[in-house]
Amino acid sequence: MNVKAERISELTVNRLSVYLRCLDELSAQGVVTISSRSLAERFSLNSAQIRKDLAYFGEFGVRGLGYNIDDLRKHLTSILGLNAAHRVGVIGAGNLGTALANYEGFSGGSFAVVALFDSDPAKIGSQISGHIPIYDVADFARKATEISIDIAALAVPAHAANFALSTVVSAGIKAVLNFAPIRLNAPDGVKIKHVDLLVSLESLSYFLARSPLEAKAAFEA
Amino acid sequence: MNVKAERISELTVNRLSVYLRCLDELSAQGVVTISSRSLAERFSLNSAQIRKDLAYFGEFGVRGLGYNIDDLRKHLTSILGLNAAHRVGVIGAGNLGTALANYEGFSGGSFAVVALFDSDPAKIGSQISGHIPIYDVADFARKATEISIDIAALAVPAHAANFALSTVVSAGIKAVLNFAPIRLNAPDGVKIKHVDLLVSLESLSYFLARSPLEAKAAFEA
DNA sequence: AATTGTGAATTCCTTCACAGCC
DNA sequence: GGCTGTGAAGGAATTCACAATT
């Protein structure tokens, strides 16, 4: 599948995911073909960027015509490893963990939250939405094998994140989505993606702090 | 404050946020001084990166000694615009919106969710955790002014995200945190940050799909 | 004529390496 | 001696621009 030996950058992979979602929507609208230019316009990207991103993996387009949407969707789905559904285990059955378990955005089908794990005896044994079980985090390794979890989401406070990480890593998990506002170091062979709300908010705050010029302009307008 | 006229990259700003949180922790532990090298080790970064990031804004260090932690915290807090608390309005009072309203990670104090907005009459008028009100999203502009919202978080399904964006933008909001899995285009003067769980998960999926190769390489080594 | 795929050019980001200072 | 601040070098990501193709 990976035609070029070259290492693919994370930025490229993230964009492929964005492209795929857009293609899904276009396909649902009955659009058959799209050019890199009109795809690029939807994300204010350069069209060469899109062609380069795709060209790492093969020649999916037709010169003069563009890309066949359903064909490209199949390729991207396969490249991103989305043919088989991934089974996500969430560590931490608090507000965030519960929201993840109920998140409708996953209904596309490639990801399913199959269990939550907590250390609170009051939560262990109950279920979210009547069908997603909450297990004891101490049983993570056994349950993860049993129910084939391949991605762990850490939805615990910062002080518990390192322990949660070592729990899932020693259970053999290779892919981790971390929501705790702390930088975790991935052991070799384990991929961690950080979703850090405080970084995002503080970056917005920086922008607001620096835009008095624009605010003033808007005020005078 | 911004000594250099140069434009600061988003990557730099994100890192400043990470540095600040680490400094807060060190300060709580009673550490007084830190060098760029030992700070860098905590994030597996290059120390020159940290010095460069800070040097955009001033000369905060002392040669031979490093940085005074409390001094640097004050500077970063000010640079990031965190002296005054930001008031966040959440559009969408579903699972995600509710989780945001209850999120303990904000308790640092710089951000407070002050209201939620929804279009569901069954939710409007009630409160989250007994103190955060849910208003009609149709009243957003009025309420936003009334309760001084300066950041909007979009916690709505993808199909509602564009409408939510135009609602908050026309109310004068300049900073938006978007959780909907769709790329929104920011109008001039408005900053949007995307928190896209599907992109993160699909990127993990890509890694999992490609790692048998690396596993094999590690085995052969 | 339109659009891809891609080498070359450019821009942006990171790292090196060292003068300057404590 | 140790560490910062920074110009220069190096590397990565993006954009340009055009030959190749339908």
Side-chain angles (χ1 to χ4, degrees), chain A residues 8 17 21 44 79-81 86 95 102 174 181 191 193 196 198-199 202-203 205-207 210 214, chain B residues 2 8 17 21 79-81 86 95 102 174 181 185 189 191 193 196 198-199 202-203 205-207:
Chain A
I8 309 299
S17 168
R21 221 165 318 141
S44 10
I79 290 165
L80 292 171
H86 292 280
N95 290 304
N102 288 317
K174 301 294 181 205
K191 177 81 169 177
K193 293 277 277 190
D196 195 322
L198 277 179
V199 167
E202 293 185 353
S203 167
S205 172
Y206 172 86
F207 171 81
R210 246 117 257 290
E214 292 166 73
Chain B
N2 188 345
I8 308 299
S17 169
R21 220 167 315 142
I79 290 164
L80 291 172
H86 292 281
N95 290 302
N102 289 316
K174 301 294 180 203
N185 293 315
K191 176 83 171 176
K193 293 277 277 189
D196 194 323
L198 278 179
V199 167
E202 292 185 354
S203 168
S205 172
Y206 172 85
F207 171 81

mmCIF file of all heavy atoms in Angstrom, chain A residues 8 17 21 44 79-81 86 95 102 174 181 191 193 196 198-199 202-203 205-207 210 214, chain B residues 2 8 17 21 79-81 86 95 102 174 181 185 189 191 193 196 198-199 202-203 205-207:
data_model
loop_
_atom_site.group_PDB
_atom_site.id
_atom_site.type_symbol
_atom_site.label_atom_id
_atom_site.label_comp_id
_atom_site.label_asym_id
_atom_site.label_seq_id
_atom_site.Cartn_x
_atom_site.Cartn_y
_atom_site.Cartn_z
ATOM 1 N N ILE A 8 6.157 9.301 6.103
ATOM 2 C CA ILE A 8 5.047 10.222 5.908
ATOM 3 C C ILE A 8 4.888 11.086 7.143
ATOM 4 O O ILE A 8 4.870 10.566 8.253
ATOM 5 C CB ILE A 8 3.746 9.434 5.676
ATOM 6 C CG1 ILE A 8 3.933 8.384 4.577
ATOM 7 C CG2 ILE A 8 2.594 10.362 5.375
ATOM 8 C CD1 ILE A 8 4.293 8.937 3.248
ATOM 9 N N SER A 17 -7.091 12.406 6.720
ATOM 10 C CA SER A 17 -8.322 12.175 7.479
ATOM 11 C C SER A 17 -9.367 13.246 7.163
ATOM 12 O O SER A 17 -10.552 12.945 6.986
ATOM 13 C CB SER A 17 -7.961 12.156 8.972
ATOM 14 O OG SER A 17 -9.100 12.200 9.768
ATOM 15 N N ARG A 21 -13.091 12.663 5.146
ATOM 16 C CA ARG A 21 -14.400 13.050 5.645
ATOM 17 C C ARG A 21 -15.138 13.912 4.641
ATOM 18 O O ARG A 21 -16.351 13.795 4.451
ATOM 19 C CB ARG A 21 -14.260 13.774 6.976
ATOM 20 C CG ARG A 21 -15.337 13.320 7.905
ATOM 21 C CD ARG A 21 -15.090 13.690 9.325
ATOM 22 N NE ARG A 21 -13.737 13.508 9.763
ATOM 23 C CZ ARG A 21 -13.130 14.361 10.575
ATOM 24 N NH1 ARG A 21 -13.769 15.450 10.954
ATOM 25 N NH2 ARG A 21 -11.909 14.130 10.970
ATOM 26 N N SER A 44 -9.098 25.972 2.435
ATOM 27 C CA SER A 44 -8.092 27.004 2.155
ATOM 28 C C SER A 44 -6.680 26.432 2.161
ATOM 29 O O SER A 44 -5.801 26.907 2.863
ATOM 30 C CB SER A 44 -8.201 28.224 3.086
ATOM 31 O OG SER A 44 -9.075 28.032 4.150
ATOM 32 N N ILE A 79 -5.613 3.209 3.423
ATOM 33 C CA ILE A 79 -4.361 3.814 3.901
ATOM 34 C C ILE A 79 -4.451 4.111 5.394
ATOM 35 O O ILE A 79 -3.516 3.863 6.152
ATOM 36 C CB ILE A 79 -4.063 5.117 3.126
ATOM 37 C CG1 ILE A 79 -3.680 4.803 1.683
ATOM 38 C CG2 ILE A 79 -2.964 5.915 3.809
ATOM 39 C CD1 ILE A 79 -3.727 6.004 0.752
ATOM 40 N N LEU A 80 -5.589 4.656 5.820
ATOM 41 C CA LEU A 80 -5.749 5.034 7.221
ATOM 42 C C LEU A 80 -6.084 3.842 8.115
ATOM 43 O O LEU A 80 -6.258 4.001 9.328
ATOM 44 C CB LEU A 80 -6.825 6.126 7.360
ATOM 45 C CG LEU A 80 -6.455 7.486 6.766
ATOM 46 C CD1 LEU A 80 -7.657 8.425 6.762
ATOM 47 C CD2 LEU A 80 -5.301 8.118 7.553
ATOM 48 N N GLY A 81 -6.190 2.664 7.536
ATOM 49 C CA GLY A 81 -6.455 1.475 8.356
ATOM 50 C C GLY A 81 -7.858 1.428 8.904
ATOM 51 O O GLY A 81 -8.105 0.954 10.004
ATOM 52 N N HIS A 86 -12.016 -0.054 14.922
ATOM 53 C CA HIS A 86 -11.124 -0.068 16.080
ATOM 54 C C HIS A 86 -11.950 -0.048 17.352
ATOM 55 O O HIS A 86 -12.984 0.596 17.417
ATOM 56 C CB HIS A 86 -10.183 1.138 16.028
ATOM 57 C CG HIS A 86 -9.201 1.046 14.913
ATOM 58 N ND1 HIS A 86 -8.049 0.289 14.989
ATOM 59 C CD2 HIS A 86 -9.202 1.585 13.685
ATOM 60 C CE1 HIS A 86 -7.386 0.389 13.858
ATOM 61 N NE2 HIS A 86 -8.067 1.163 13.043
ATOM 62 N N ASN A 95 -16.853 12.804 33.616
ATOM 63 C CA ASN A 95 -17.659 13.498 32.607
ATOM 64 C C ASN A 95 -17.126 13.297 31.199
ATOM 65 O O ASN A 95 -17.884 13.010 30.273
ATOM 66 C CB ASN A 95 -17.659 14.992 32.900
ATOM 67 C CG ASN A 95 -18.455 15.313 34.140
ATOM 68 O OD1 ASN A 95 -19.624 14.965 34.214
ATOM 69 N ND2 ASN A 95 -17.823 15.918 35.116
ATOM 70 N N ASN A 102 -20.551 8.245 24.773
ATOM 71 C CA ASN A 102 -21.823 8.590 24.137
ATOM 72 C C ASN A 102 -21.655 9.365 22.838
ATOM 73 O O ASN A 102 -22.641 9.684 22.176
ATOM 74 C CB ASN A 102 -22.659 9.462 25.092
ATOM 75 C CG ASN A 102 -23.199 8.675 26.253
ATOM 76 O OD1 ASN A 102 -23.678 7.554 26.086
ATOM 77 N ND2 ASN A 102 -23.115 9.247 27.441
ATOM 78 N N LYS A 174 -0.889 -0.137 21.766
ATOM 79 C CA LYS A 174 0.108 0.574 20.967
ATOM 80 C C LYS A 174 -0.347 1.964 20.525
ATOM 81 O O LYS A 174 0.430 2.694 19.901
ATOM 82 C CB LYS A 174 0.439 -0.234 19.699
ATOM 83 C CG LYS A 174 0.985 -1.629 19.970
ATOM 84 C CD LYS A 174 2.333 -1.590 20.632
ATOM 85 C CE LYS A 174 2.893 -2.984 20.873
ATOM 86 N NZ LYS A 174 3.858 -2.983 21.996
ATOM 87 N N PRO A 181 -4.193 17.077 30.585
ATOM 88 C CA PRO A 181 -3.353 18.219 30.213
ATOM 89 C C PRO A 181 -1.936 18.054 30.737
ATOM 90 O O PRO A 181 -1.467 18.801 31.592
ATOM 91 C CB PRO A 181 -4.062 19.406 30.860
ATOM 92 C CG PRO A 181 -4.802 18.835 32.005
ATOM 93 C CD PRO A 181 -5.129 17.404 31.665
ATOM 94 N N LYS A 191 2.250 4.873 20.082
ATOM 95 C CA LYS A 191 1.936 6.193 19.537
ATOM 96 C C LYS A 191 0.957 6.898 20.468
ATOM 97 O O LYS A 191 -0.084 6.338 20.804
ATOM 98 C CB LYS A 191 1.299 6.000 18.158
ATOM 99 C CG LYS A 191 0.865 7.266 17.502
ATOM 100 C CD LYS A 191 2.029 7.923 16.854
ATOM 101 C CE LYS A 191 1.627 9.068 15.949
ATOM 102 N NZ LYS A 191 2.835 9.695 15.404
ATOM 103 N N LYS A 193 -1.300 10.435 20.905
ATOM 104 C CA LYS A 193 -1.785 11.708 20.389
ATOM 105 C C LYS A 193 -2.378 12.488 21.555
ATOM 106 O O LYS A 193 -3.109 11.920 22.378
ATOM 107 C CB LYS A 193 -2.865 11.485 19.326
ATOM 108 C CG LYS A 193 -2.351 10.841 18.055
ATOM 109 C CD LYS A 193 -1.726 11.839 17.090
ATOM 110 C CE LYS A 193 -2.775 12.536 16.240
ATOM 111 N NZ LYS A 193 -2.134 13.332 15.136
ATOM 112 N N ASP A 196 -5.263 18.482 23.938
ATOM 113 C CA ASP A 196 -5.013 19.296 25.119
ATOM 114 C C ASP A 196 -5.839 20.573 25.059
ATOM 115 O O ASP A 196 -5.475 21.552 24.414
ATOM 116 C CB ASP A 196 -3.520 19.605 25.201
ATOM 117 C CG ASP A 196 -3.111 20.131 26.560
ATOM 118 O OD1 ASP A 196 -3.890 20.897 27.151
ATOM 119 O OD2 ASP A 196 -2.012 19.781 27.025
ATOM 120 N N LEU A 198 -6.408 22.823 27.287
ATOM 121 C CA LEU A 198 -5.814 24.029 27.846
ATOM 122 C C LEU A 198 -4.863 24.679 26.852
ATOM 123 O O LEU A 198 -4.843 25.903 26.729
ATOM 124 C CB LEU A 198 -5.093 23.711 29.156
ATOM 125 C CG LEU A 198 -6.014 23.660 30.379
ATOM 126 C CD1 LEU A 198 -5.216 23.318 31.633
ATOM 127 C CD2 LEU A 198 -6.733 24.984 30.569
ATOM 128 N N VAL A 199 -4.107 23.873 26.132
ATOM 129 C CA VAL A 199 -3.227 24.455 25.108
ATOM 130 C C VAL A 199 -4.064 25.193 24.071
ATOM 131 O O VAL A 199 -3.747 26.326 23.690
ATOM 132 C CB VAL A 199 -2.354 23.379 24.433
ATOM 133 C CG1 VAL A 199 -1.694 23.934 23.177
ATOM 134 C CG2 VAL A 199 -1.283 22.873 25.391
ATOM 135 N N GLU A 202 -5.492 28.389 25.657
ATOM 136 C CA GLU A 202 -4.480 29.405 25.940
ATOM 137 C C GLU A 202 -3.962 30.007 24.642
ATOM 138 O O GLU A 202 -3.604 31.182 24.588
ATOM 139 C CB GLU A 202 -3.354 28.818 26.798
ATOM 140 C CG GLU A 202 -3.884 28.463 28.181
ATOM 141 C CD GLU A 202 -2.836 27.979 29.180
ATOM 142 O OE1 GLU A 202 -1.673 27.771 28.788
ATOM 143 O OE2 GLU A 202 -3.204 27.800 30.361
ATOM 144 N N SER A 203 -3.972 29.228 23.593
ATOM 145 C CA SER A 203 -3.578 29.757 22.313
ATOM 146 C C SER A 203 -4.631 30.749 21.800
ATOM 147 O O SER A 203 -4.288 31.788 21.219
ATOM 148 C CB SER A 203 -3.371 28.570 21.379
ATOM 149 O OG SER A 203 -3.274 28.974 20.067
ATOM 150 N N SER A 205 -6.432 32.499 23.810
ATOM 151 C CA SER A 205 -6.235 33.629 24.707
ATOM 152 C C SER A 205 -5.100 34.524 24.208
ATOM 153 O O SER A 205 -5.207 35.756 24.215
ATOM 154 C CB SER A 205 -5.926 33.112 26.115
ATOM 155 O OG SER A 205 -5.547 34.160 26.975
ATOM 156 N N TYR A 206 -4.025 33.888 23.753
ATOM 157 C CA TYR A 206 -2.892 34.643 23.185
ATOM 158 C C TYR A 206 -3.369 35.497 22.017
ATOM 159 O O TYR A 206 -3.044 36.680 21.917
ATOM 160 C CB TYR A 206 -1.801 33.684 22.716
ATOM 161 C CG TYR A 206 -0.690 34.351 21.954
ATOM 162 C CD1 TYR A 206 0.389 34.925 22.604
ATOM 163 C CD2 TYR A 206 -0.736 34.420 20.560
ATOM 164 C CE1 TYR A 206 1.404 35.554 21.904
ATOM 165 C CE2 TYR A 206 0.279 35.051 19.851
ATOM 166 C CZ TYR A 206 1.337 35.620 20.528
ATOM 167 O OH TYR A 206 2.324 36.245 19.818
ATOM 168 N N PHE A 207 -4.160 34.864 21.153
ATOM 169 C CA PHE A 207 -4.682 35.581 19.995
ATOM 170 C C PHE A 207 -5.519 36.784 20.432
ATOM 171 O O PHE A 207 -5.361 37.892 19.904
ATOM 172 C CB PHE A 207 -5.515 34.632 19.134
ATOM 173 C CG PHE A 207 -6.266 35.318 18.045
ATOM 174 C CD1 PHE A 207 -5.640 35.660 16.852
ATOM 175 C CD2 PHE A 207 -7.605 35.640 18.214
ATOM 176 C CE1 PHE A 207 -6.335 36.309 15.848
ATOM 177 C CE2 PHE A 207 -8.307 36.288 17.210
ATOM 178 C CZ PHE A 207 -7.669 36.624 16.021
ATOM 179 N N ARG A 210 -3.504 39.679 21.694
ATOM 180 C CA ARG A 210 -2.741 40.377 20.679
ATOM 181 C C ARG A 210 -3.582 41.120 19.653
ATOM 182 O O ARG A 210 -3.066 41.820 18.799
ATOM 183 C CB ARG A 210 -1.865 39.389 19.915
ATOM 184 C CG ARG A 210 -0.428 39.619 20.145
ATOM 185 C CD ARG A 210 0.205 38.420 20.812
ATOM 186 N NE ARG A 210 0.444 38.628 22.222
ATOM 187 C CZ ARG A 210 1.347 39.437 22.715
ATOM 188 N NH1 ARG A 210 2.089 40.144 21.948
ATOM 189 N NH2 ARG A 210 1.516 39.532 24.011
ATOM 190 N N GLU A 214 -7.180 44.855 16.009
ATOM 191 C CA GLU A 214 -8.341 44.490 15.197
ATOM 192 C C GLU A 214 -9.645 44.814 15.915
ATOM 193 O O GLU A 214 -10.604 45.247 15.318
ATOM 194 C CB GLU A 214 -8.303 42.988 14.865
ATOM 195 C CG GLU A 214 -7.159 42.657 13.917
ATOM 196 C CD GLU A 214 -6.902 41.172 13.858
ATOM 197 O OE1 GLU A 214 -7.731 40.487 13.256
ATOM 198 O OE2 GLU A 214 -5.884 40.701 14.399
ATOM 199 N N ASN B 2 5.167 42.335 23.418
ATOM 200 C CA ASN B 2 5.751 41.656 22.266
ATOM 201 C C ASN B 2 6.913 42.485 21.729
ATOM 202 O O ASN B 2 6.746 43.383 20.932
ATOM 203 C CB ASN B 2 4.687 41.461 21.190
ATOM 204 C CG ASN B 2 5.198 40.604 20.062
ATOM 205 O OD1 ASN B 2 6.403 40.392 19.939
ATOM 206 N ND2 ASN B 2 4.300 40.109 19.260
ATOM 207 N N ILE B 8 4.716 35.495 15.470
ATOM 208 C CA ILE B 8 4.999 34.319 16.287
ATOM 209 C C ILE B 8 4.200 33.145 15.757
ATOM 210 O O ILE B 8 3.005 33.266 15.512
ATOM 211 C CB ILE B 8 4.584 34.585 17.748
ATOM 212 C CG1 ILE B 8 5.199 35.894 18.262
ATOM 213 C CG2 ILE B 8 4.945 33.402 18.623
ATOM 214 C CD1 ILE B 8 6.686 35.917 18.256
ATOM 215 N N SER B 17 2.387 27.483 26.226
ATOM 216 C CA SER B 17 1.338 26.981 27.102
ATOM 217 C C SER B 17 1.797 25.727 27.851
ATOM 218 O O SER B 17 1.571 25.582 29.055
ATOM 219 C CB SER B 17 0.092 26.699 26.257
ATOM 220 O OG SER B 17 -0.868 25.998 26.976
ATOM 221 N N ARG B 21 2.537 25.383 32.073
ATOM 222 C CA ARG B 21 1.936 24.389 32.965
ATOM 223 C C ARG B 21 3.012 23.636 33.735
ATOM 224 O O ARG B 21 2.864 23.356 34.918
ATOM 225 C CB ARG B 21 1.072 23.428 32.155
ATOM 226 C CG ARG B 21 -0.183 23.136 32.922
ATOM 227 C CD ARG B 21 -1.222 22.459 32.103
ATOM 228 N NE ARG B 21 -1.412 23.035 30.807
ATOM 229 C CZ ARG B 21 -1.655 22.301 29.743
ATOM 230 N NH1 ARG B 21 -1.690 20.986 29.849
ATOM 231 N NH2 ARG B 21 -1.864 22.882 28.586
ATOM 232 N N ILE B 79 2.022 37.050 28.630
ATOM 233 C CA ILE B 79 2.116 36.867 27.180
ATOM 234 C C ILE B 79 0.885 36.139 26.638
ATOM 235 O O ILE B 79 0.332 36.505 25.605
ATOM 236 C CB ILE B 79 3.389 36.070 26.821
ATOM 237 C CG1 ILE B 79 4.631 36.918 27.082
ATOM 238 C CG2 ILE B 79 3.356 35.581 25.370
ATOM 239 C CD1 ILE B 79 5.924 36.110 27.141
ATOM 240 N N LEU B 80 0.464 35.126 27.366
ATOM 241 C CA LEU B 80 -0.672 34.312 26.905
ATOM 242 C C LEU B 80 -2.021 34.966 27.234
ATOM 243 O O LEU B 80 -3.076 34.404 26.924
ATOM 244 C CB LEU B 80 -0.604 32.910 27.522
ATOM 245 C CG LEU B 80 0.544 32.021 27.014
ATOM 246 C CD1 LEU B 80 0.646 30.742 27.834
ATOM 247 C CD2 LEU B 80 0.346 31.682 25.534
ATOM 248 N N GLY B 81 -1.995 36.118 27.849
ATOM 249 C CA GLY B 81 -3.241 36.821 28.132
ATOM 250 C C GLY B 81 -4.075 36.155 29.206
ATOM 251 O O GLY B 81 -5.306 36.167 29.154
ATOM 252 N N HIS B 86 -10.939 34.138 31.193
ATOM 253 C CA HIS B 86 -11.766 34.163 30.004
ATOM 254 C C HIS B 86 -13.085 33.476 30.299
ATOM 255 O O HIS B 86 -13.137 32.488 31.025
ATOM 256 C CB HIS B 86 -11.043 33.478 28.852
ATOM 257 C CG HIS B 86 -9.857 34.240 28.379
ATOM 258 N ND1 HIS B 86 -9.953 35.328 27.549
ATOM 259 C CD2 HIS B 86 -8.542 34.113 28.661
ATOM 260 C CE1 HIS B 86 -8.750 35.830 27.328
ATOM 261 N NE2 HIS B 86 -7.878 35.110 27.991
ATOM 262 N N ASN B 95 -23.755 15.717 25.411
ATOM 263 C CA ASN B 95 -22.775 15.075 26.293
ATOM 264 C C ASN B 95 -21.481 15.855 26.367
ATOM 265 O O ASN B 95 -20.936 16.075 27.435
ATOM 266 C CB ASN B 95 -22.459 13.670 25.777
ATOM 267 C CG ASN B 95 -23.635 12.743 25.971
ATOM 268 O OD1 ASN B 95 -24.084 12.557 27.090
ATOM 269 N ND2 ASN B 95 -24.145 12.188 24.890
ATOM 270 N N ASN B 102 -18.445 20.795 33.071
ATOM 271 C CA ASN B 102 -18.021 20.189 34.326
ATOM 272 C C ASN B 102 -16.528 19.940 34.413
ATOM 273 O O ASN B 102 -16.040 19.455 35.430
ATOM 274 C CB ASN B 102 -18.734 18.842 34.505
ATOM 275 C CG ASN B 102 -20.202 19.002 34.813
ATOM 276 O OD1 ASN B 102 -20.579 19.838 35.624
ATOM 277 N ND2 ASN B 102 -21.036 18.213 34.155
ATOM 278 N N LYS B 174 -14.528 36.567 18.885
ATOM 279 C CA LYS B 174 -13.307 36.551 18.072
ATOM 280 C C LYS B 174 -12.483 35.278 18.245
ATOM 281 O O LYS B 174 -11.474 35.107 17.554
ATOM 282 C CB LYS B 174 -12.422 37.752 18.449
ATOM 283 C CG LYS B 174 -13.079 39.102 18.262
ATOM 284 C CD LYS B 174 -13.357 39.383 16.801
ATOM 285 C CE LYS B 174 -14.018 40.748 16.615
ATOM 286 N NZ LYS B 174 -14.766 40.787 15.343
ATOM 287 N N PRO B 181 -16.507 17.669 13.971
ATOM 288 C CA PRO B 181 -15.553 17.089 13.026
ATOM 289 C C PRO B 181 -15.759 17.631 11.617
ATOM 290 O O PRO B 181 -16.128 16.910 10.700
ATOM 291 C CB PRO B 181 -15.839 15.594 13.106
ATOM 292 C CG PRO B 181 -17.259 15.492 13.544
ATOM 293 C CD PRO B 181 -17.572 16.723 14.346
ATOM 294 N N ASN B 185 -14.188 27.617 8.165
ATOM 295 C CA ASN B 185 -13.319 28.705 7.739
ATOM 296 C C ASN B 185 -13.560 29.925 8.605
ATOM 297 O O ASN B 185 -14.693 30.391 8.737
ATOM 298 C CB ASN B 185 -13.555 29.023 6.267
ATOM 299 C CG ASN B 185 -13.095 27.879 5.384
ATOM 300 O OD1 ASN B 185 -12.014 27.330 5.576
ATOM 301 N ND2 ASN B 185 -13.944 27.486 4.434
ATOM 302 N N GLY B 189 -10.153 38.157 11.301
ATOM 303 C CA GLY B 189 -10.183 38.669 12.669
ATOM 304 C C GLY B 189 -10.737 37.684 13.678
ATOM 305 O O GLY B 189 -10.791 37.978 14.862
ATOM 306 N N LYS B 191 -10.353 33.838 15.260
ATOM 307 C CA LYS B 191 -9.425 32.723 15.367
ATOM 308 C C LYS B 191 -10.204 31.456 15.723
ATOM 309 O O LYS B 191 -10.966 31.451 16.681
ATOM 310 C CB LYS B 191 -8.430 33.029 16.476
ATOM 311 C CG LYS B 191 -7.465 31.932 16.757
ATOM 312 C CD LYS B 191 -6.331 32.023 15.788
ATOM 313 C CE LYS B 191 -5.203 31.092 16.127
ATOM 314 N NZ LYS B 191 -4.167 31.177 15.088
ATOM 315 N N LYS B 193 -9.746 27.361 16.609
ATOM 316 C CA LYS B 193 -8.892 26.205 16.869
ATOM 317 C C LYS B 193 -9.773 24.964 16.784
ATOM 318 O O LYS B 193 -10.889 24.949 17.313
ATOM 319 C CB LYS B 193 -8.266 26.289 18.260
ATOM 320 C CG LYS B 193 -7.271 27.401 18.429
ATOM 321 C CD LYS B 193 -5.871 27.043 17.938
ATOM 322 C CE LYS B 193 -5.081 26.267 18.957
ATOM 323 N NZ LYS B 193 -3.645 26.127 18.547
ATOM 324 N N ASP B 196 -10.259 17.921 16.857
ATOM 325 C CA ASP B 196 -10.952 16.969 15.995
ATOM 326 C C ASP B 196 -10.588 15.542 16.387
ATOM 327 O O ASP B 196 -9.554 15.013 16.023
ATOM 328 C CB ASP B 196 -10.564 17.258 14.543
ATOM 329 C CG ASP B 196 -11.486 16.560 13.556
ATOM 330 O OD1 ASP B 196 -11.890 15.415 13.846
ATOM 331 O OD2 ASP B 196 -11.791 17.163 12.517
ATOM 332 N N LEU B 198 -11.833 12.729 15.492
ATOM 333 C CA LEU B 198 -11.734 11.748 14.419
ATOM 334 C C LEU B 198 -10.381 11.825 13.734
ATOM 335 O O LEU B 198 -9.785 10.801 13.409
ATOM 336 C CB LEU B 198 -12.873 11.927 13.408
ATOM 337 C CG LEU B 198 -14.187 11.268 13.815
ATOM 338 C CD1 LEU B 198 -15.256 11.513 12.767
ATOM 339 C CD2 LEU B 198 -13.999 9.770 14.020
ATOM 340 N N VAL B 199 -9.871 13.024 13.538
ATOM 341 C CA VAL B 199 -8.536 13.146 12.950
ATOM 342 C C VAL B 199 -7.509 12.451 13.847
ATOM 343 O O VAL B 199 -6.659 11.695 13.374
ATOM 344 C CB VAL B 199 -8.153 14.625 12.726
ATOM 345 C CG1 VAL B 199 -6.668 14.757 12.429
ATOM 346 C CG2 VAL B 199 -8.972 15.220 11.589
ATOM 347 N N GLU B 202 -8.025 8.660 13.649
ATOM 348 C CA GLU B 202 -7.650 8.085 12.352
ATOM 349 C C GLU B 202 -6.136 8.120 12.176
ATOM 350 O O GLU B 202 -5.563 7.241 11.532
ATOM 351 C CB GLU B 202 -8.400 8.808 11.221
ATOM 352 C CG GLU B 202 -9.892 8.503 11.307
ATOM 353 C CD GLU B 202 -10.736 9.057 10.178
ATOM 354 O OE1 GLU B 202 -10.221 9.800 9.330
ATOM 355 O OE2 GLU B 202 -11.942 8.742 10.155
ATOM 356 N N SER B 203 -5.517 9.095 12.773
ATOM 357 C CA SER B 203 -4.063 9.149 12.719
ATOM 358 C C SER B 203 -3.463 8.003 13.555
ATOM 359 O O SER B 203 -2.468 7.382 13.156
ATOM 360 C CB SER B 203 -3.643 10.528 13.222
ATOM 361 O OG SER B 203 -2.291 10.592 13.458
ATOM 362 N N SER B 205 -5.010 5.205 13.976
ATOM 363 C CA SER B 205 -5.325 4.036 13.150
ATOM 364 C C SER B 205 -4.275 3.844 12.057
ATOM 365 O O SER B 205 -3.828 2.722 11.793
ATOM 366 C CB SER B 205 -6.717 4.213 12.529
ATOM 367 O OG SER B 205 -6.975 3.199 11.594
ATOM 368 N N TYR B 206 -3.866 4.939 11.438
ATOM 369 C CA TYR B 206 -2.810 4.876 10.410
ATOM 370 C C TYR B 206 -1.549 4.274 10.999
ATOM 371 O O TYR B 206 -0.918 3.399 10.409
ATOM 372 C CB TYR B 206 -2.517 6.294 9.881
ATOM 373 C CG TYR B 206 -1.321 6.352 8.965
ATOM 374 C CD1 TYR B 206 -1.430 6.083 7.619
ATOM 375 C CD2 TYR B 206 -0.058 6.669 9.475
ATOM 376 C CE1 TYR B 206 -0.319 6.123 6.786
ATOM 377 C CE2 TYR B 206 1.055 6.706 8.651
ATOM 378 C CZ TYR B 206 0.917 6.427 7.306
ATOM 379 O OH TYR B 206 2.012 6.458 6.486
ATOM 380 N N PHE B 207 -1.194 4.754 12.185
ATOM 381 C CA PHE B 207 0.007 4.247 12.854
ATOM 382 C C PHE B 207 -0.108 2.741 13.111
ATOM 383 O O PHE B 207 0.825 1.980 12.836
ATOM 384 C CB PHE B 207 0.211 4.998 14.175
ATOM 385 C CG PHE B 207 1.276 4.401 15.034
ATOM 386 C CD1 PHE B 207 2.616 4.683 14.794
ATOM 387 C CD2 PHE B 207 0.952 3.551 16.076
ATOM 388 C CE1 PHE B 207 3.605 4.128 15.587
ATOM 389 C CE2 PHE B 207 1.940 2.993 16.876
ATOM 390 C CZ PHE B 207 3.269 3.283 16.628
#
